[in-house]
Amino acid sequence: MTKLFLSVLVAGMAVGVLLVPSPEAPAPGPPAATNPPSVAVCPVEEGGGRTTRIGIASSVGGEGRFTAFAAGVPAGSITFSTEASGSAAVSVSEFAPTGVGAGLTEMPDGEVAAASVLVGTQSIAVDTCTPVPNPQTLIAGGSTLSGQQHQIQLMNPYAGEAIVDLVAQSDSGLEAAPQLRGIIIPSRSSEIIDMDELLPGRQFLAITVEVANGSVMTSARLDVGDDGALWHSVSPALDWFVPVPAAGLAGDLVISTASTSEVEYQVDVYGPQGLVEAQQEGVLPARGTVSLPLVGMELEAASAVRVISTQPVAVFQRLVSEMGVALAAGSPATSSSWLLPGAGLAPGGTGSLLIFNAGLEEDTVLVTARRDQPATQEVAVPAETVVELPAVEGGANAYTVQGHGSLVAAWVTTGEGATAYSVGVPLPDG
């Protein structure tokens, strides 16, 4: 038994609770407890050489509406339908030249999700659109070193202003910039906080978003060279699963906590040679962040990692290389069914899907490219293994993944000097 879990066991005997599962019998995390909400908020960008398409994936047919907003008023809206294909794609440039802004996606009731796909002449960025978050979320992986532009985007699509505090921790310690406290986001507005202007020269930044009033969705942007990354804040959890594409093996695993006390963590690796438990272990200081190079985990092909901790953490995968920049959170849950909105919307339909089977038995999985003429293929995914599939020719608005066991699905797309990566949205089992 590892050092991490010995300490957890002692604490658990004292209080009658084990915070993490035993390493002798690793079990997948719990499935998502509720259906994805029918409303989500998406970051958008029009102008400056970039344009946005919103991809919608759905298990039900129906109509929805996407409304871009800026400066307190709607900037334009459009209706869409998921009837024929179980998907839809919305080009924001057709109705709302918003600059850097946001939009509210009102989707058919049921199992449905949306994502933003930002495309430039030499850049690709993706982010799953987010529902109303918890009052406290965390976002990490950004940097304000020379040549890197890092922004935090605070989006309020509702009537009534919102007030937010950003608690920033960096390699310089807890940051005290007064501009990070008491930030007011007016109704139906999106505020951009330029971290490279406020806190330049930071190797890493981890930001806890504390909403004091109203509801705010938070995304981050990181531009390195011509490429950019887009990713959203998450609620910390005790258990995370991160599929790693072959294109991301040169990246880092970023683990961060908002806890005011030390947090022990363990990293299990699912590679071509099978499961390696406790491949790495460590301790995060209070409000600490660690960046672990994936190359040090002896990965050789599409793989996955699982992070287990004694207190809630947030886990992100980060790639900054000559291939471009990509950032995304892992998943705190496994499920037998997944939606991958926006997958296949990149130019030329390039990219691949990743299916991680965290279970102990092989799973037969149906992968469907959602478009006017849906295309389905059956894939066998061995236990504790990741399968990487090329995208279908002709592109798609979205993909769905349907299996029987404990799966995590993600997608990646790469171009010349540009990379994007996103984990899908799990559906409830049962």
Side-chain angles (χ1 to χ4, degrees):
M1 187 177 290
T2 64
K3 177 181 177 182
L4 167 59
F5 289 98
L6 282 172
S7 63
V8 174
L9 181 59
V10 172
M13 292 174 65
V15 300
V17 176
L18 284 176
L19 296 180
V20 291
S22 167
E24 280 85 359
T34 58
N35 286 343
S38 56
V39 174
V41 176
C42 310
V44 301
E45 185 172 350
E46 291 295 328
R50 291 178 179 171
T51 188
T52 303
R53 298 188 75 188
I54 305 298
I56 297 101
S58 177
S59 63
V60 297
E63 289 192 346
R65 175 175 292 273
F66 181 84
T67 303
F69 58 87
V73 296
S77 66
I78 191 171
T79 58
F80 60 84
S81 173
T82 62
E83 291 286 357
S85 65
S87 69
V90 172
S91 295
V92 177
S93 62
E94 295 180 1
F95 64 94
T98 58
V100 176
L104 178 67
T105 308
E106 300 170 84
M107 300 176 286
D109 290 335
E111 298 170 341
V112 61
S116 295
V117 181
L118 276 61
V119 177
T121 54
Q122 294 179 287
S123 67
I124 306 172
V126 300
D127 188 27
T128 302
C129 302
T130 53
V132 177
N134 290 333
Q136 184 185 78
T137 58
L138 196 153
I139 195 161
S143 168
T144 59
L145 294 176
S146 178
Q148 301 187 19
Q149 295 180 308
H150 183 28
Q151 297 176 325
I152 299 297
Q153 183 175 6
L154 304 171
M155 300 171 286
N156 175 15
Y158 300 113
E161 69 178 24
I163 302 176
V164 172
D165 291 328
L166 301 182
V167 181
Q169 187 84 15
S170 74
D171 41 304
S172 297
L174 185 64
E175 301 288 354
Q179 298 93 327
L180 299 177
R181 302 302 175 95
I183 302 170
I184 297 175
I185 305 93
S187 168
R188 300 183 181 89
S189 295
S190 170
E191 296 291 321
I192 298 292
I193 311 298
D194 286 305
M195 304 306 296
D196 44 297
E197 293 183 6
L198 285 178
L199 304 171
R202 271 45 171 193
Q203 184 175 0
F204 73 85
L205 277 168
I207 298 167
T208 303
V209 183
E210 298 180 347
V211 180
N213 185 68
S215 295
V216 168
M217 276 55 74
T218 304
S219 285
R221 297 165 179 263
L222 180 66
D223 288 330
V224 181
D226 294 324
D227 196 20
L230 188 66
W231 73 110
H232 60 268
S233 66
V234 296
S235 298
L238 296 173
D239 203 349
W240 289 90
F241 300 87
V242 185
V244 181
L249 297 180
D252 298 308
L253 188 70
V254 179
I255 307 172
S256 187
T257 182
S259 173
T260 55
S261 59
E262 289 186 345
V263 178
E264 297 178 72
Y265 66 86
Q266 172 178 308
V267 180
D268 298 339
V269 172
Y270 298 79
Q273 308 306 317
L275 169 63
V276 179
E277 296 180 21
Q279 206 275 349
Q280 295 198 29
E281 296 177 281
V283 178
L284 290 175
R287 293 191 181 274
T289 299
V290 63
S291 183
L292 304 175
L294 292 169
V295 69
M297 299 182 190
E298 302 177 1
L299 305 179
E300 300 173 0
S303 307
V305 296
R306 181 184 183 185
V307 178
I308 309 169
S309 57
T310 55
Q311 295 190 60
V313 300
V315 178
F316 303 84
Q317 183 177 178
R318 181 178 190 268
L319 173 66
V320 179
S321 71
E322 67 279 357
M323 297 180 63
V325 54
L327 261 152
S331 174
T334 65
S335 176
S336 63
S337 303
W338 288 78
L339 302 178
L340 288 89
L345 278 180
T350 59
S352 58
L353 274 68
L354 293 99
I355 305 173
F356 168 42
N357 180 2
L360 301 177
E361 297 181 0
E362 181 175 290
D363 200 350
T364 300
V365 179
L366 295 179
V367 179
T368 303
R370 296 292 178 179
R371 54 189 184 182
D372 291 340
Q373 297 295 326
T376 299
Q377 59 180 312
E378 186 175 281
V379 181
V381 185
E384 300 181 337
T385 299
V386 177
V387 171
E388 188 164 5
L389 305 172
V392 298
E393 294 184 4
N397 300 326
Y399 281 77
T400 56
V401 173
Q402 175 67 60
H404 303 89
S406 301
L407 306 175
V408 181
W411 66 281
V412 62
T413 184
T414 58
E416 187 175 347
T419 299
Y421 170 81
S422 179
V423 173
V425 177
L427 298 181
D429 285 321

